[in-house]
Amino acid sequence: MYDVIVIGGGPSGLMAAIAAGIEKKKVLLLEKGQKLGHKLAISGGGRCNVTNRLSTDEIIKHIPGNGRFLYSPFTIYNNEDIIAFFEDHGVALKEEDHGRMFPVSNRAQDVVDAMLRELNRLKVEIRQNTPVAKLLMDDDKVLGVRLKDGNEIKTKAVVVAVGGKAVPKTGSTGDGYPWAEKAGHTITELFPTEVPLLSNETFIRTKELQGLALRNAKVSVLNKKGKIIITHQMDMLFTHFGLSGPAILRCSQFVVKEMKKNGRNPVTLRIQALTEHNAESAFHLIFKLAKAEPKKTLKNVWKGLVPERWLLFLMTNCDIAESLTGADLSADQARLLANDLVGFEMTVNGTQPLEKAFVTGGGVSIKEIEPKTMASKKKAGLYFCGEILDIHGYTGGYNITSALVTGRIAGMSAAQYVDAK
């Protein structure tokens, strides 16, 4: 008989097992795959963006999917505690842009190894290649788990940390949703977030801009009335199927939500490459440059304002021939180009599938979870943490922070529940 069973060996599950182990409980960690910490090991391009050093308010602002739920958990365990945990366990961290924290070694595996060493020290029993088929429950409480091989293991508390449906190669295949539903929980609609966008625009289909990156561009998602829903200023990339890159990933969940509202119709994105200008000041800038060198071809006059491929594409879009000189440019043509430089609009008509997303939107409804303990409000002895919950943030250490914080609290609370029994 175990005190606590943790299902799932990702960030939240490893942290939950550690937290229960610290409370001197007999803990069993079950992982259906071969590897522990697989998602951690491949995160941040293999460097593992383990948390973020911004203030609590800023972190929660970067978790647009129910981030406010984390205010309460953060009073118990937060990003600074995560930093202290890894530094105390031999992983020196460094801060990079936007508060992102990485191991000084740039090795995600060091983060995983530190957690595995701690599990070993706490004598947590780990079984890999051990998939769970279902939770064992009566009307009131959790009794244990049934494995896929038919074996049943009894326990006083279960922590479900099996992830969402994004990045299925790490084992996140949505196993936990039916278990949560059986326990009486609501699963909010699942959707991809932090995911590339698809577009049917002719210039995407012809691959005319494939591989073009716009650095630090402002990308806005518009609603059907043309009002801005959200803007993100980061790098973006044109691909053979649509758009990708950090600005696009951050905008993606807003595209998904807008398509749900507008009856699955395409959504307009606005791209601003000349970020320091509005239409009027951009017009004055390009017109003045053209007239200052009337004999030069315009593509050479405007060189360096934006990447050349983008400039030539927009010039064609505005019927300005590449061979045209400054002397021949009309004010109307300059105005058209200025408008595109500060607000080129295109439509997107969906996202890549959930399996291609970095993060799952939707999940176990947070209305049915106690924020200070991660306990189920539906079934005693049952705890949820990590990406199975309906909490989703941008990339940049925010989702891992949420996973580690909720995991820590779930494991600790499960152990305390056992003590109270």
Side-chain angles (χ1 to χ4, degrees), residues 48-116:
C48 189
N49 181 185
V50 73
T51 187
N52 196 294
R53 193 144 230 174
L54 296 177
S55 68
T56 297
D57 284 344
E58 278 299 311
I59 287 177
I60 283 164
K61 208 186 281 178
H62 285 82
I63 305 176
N66 294 320
R68 296 182 67 76
F69 174 83
L70 294 170
Y71 271 118
S72 200
F74 263 56
T75 61
I76 300 163
Y77 196 82
N78 62 27
N79 54 325
E80 291 298 333
D81 295 314
I82 291 168
I83 292 166
F85 171 86
F86 284 109
E87 302 220 305
D88 291 347
H89 289 85
V91 184
L93 300 179
K94 58 179 175 179
E95 186 174 338
E96 295 191 7
D97 58 332
H98 310 296
R100 298 182 306 153
M101 300 297 291
F102 288 91
V104 170
S105 66
N106 286 325
R107 278 174 37 95
Q109 196 56 46
D110 292 350
V111 173
V112 178
D113 292 345
M115 297 184 90
L116 298 183

Side-chain angles (χ1 to χ4, degrees), residues 101-149:
M101 300 297 291
F102 288 91
V104 170
S105 66
N106 286 325
R107 278 174 37 95
Q109 196 56 46
D110 292 350
V111 173
V112 178
D113 292 345
M115 297 184 90
L116 298 183
R117 279 196 305 275
E118 182 65 350
L119 288 167
N120 189 35
R121 185 185 75 78
L122 295 166
K123 300 189 169 41
V124 168
E125 187 184 329
I126 297 170
R127 296 192 204 170
Q128 280 134 292
N129 299 311
T130 309
V132 171
K134 63 182 285 193
L135 303 180
L136 303 173
M137 302 174 273
D138 63 16
D139 288 346
D140 307 312
K141 62 184 184 299
V142 159
L143 306 169
V145 300
R146 179 179 296 149
L147 302 178
K148 281 264 167 74
D149 64 13

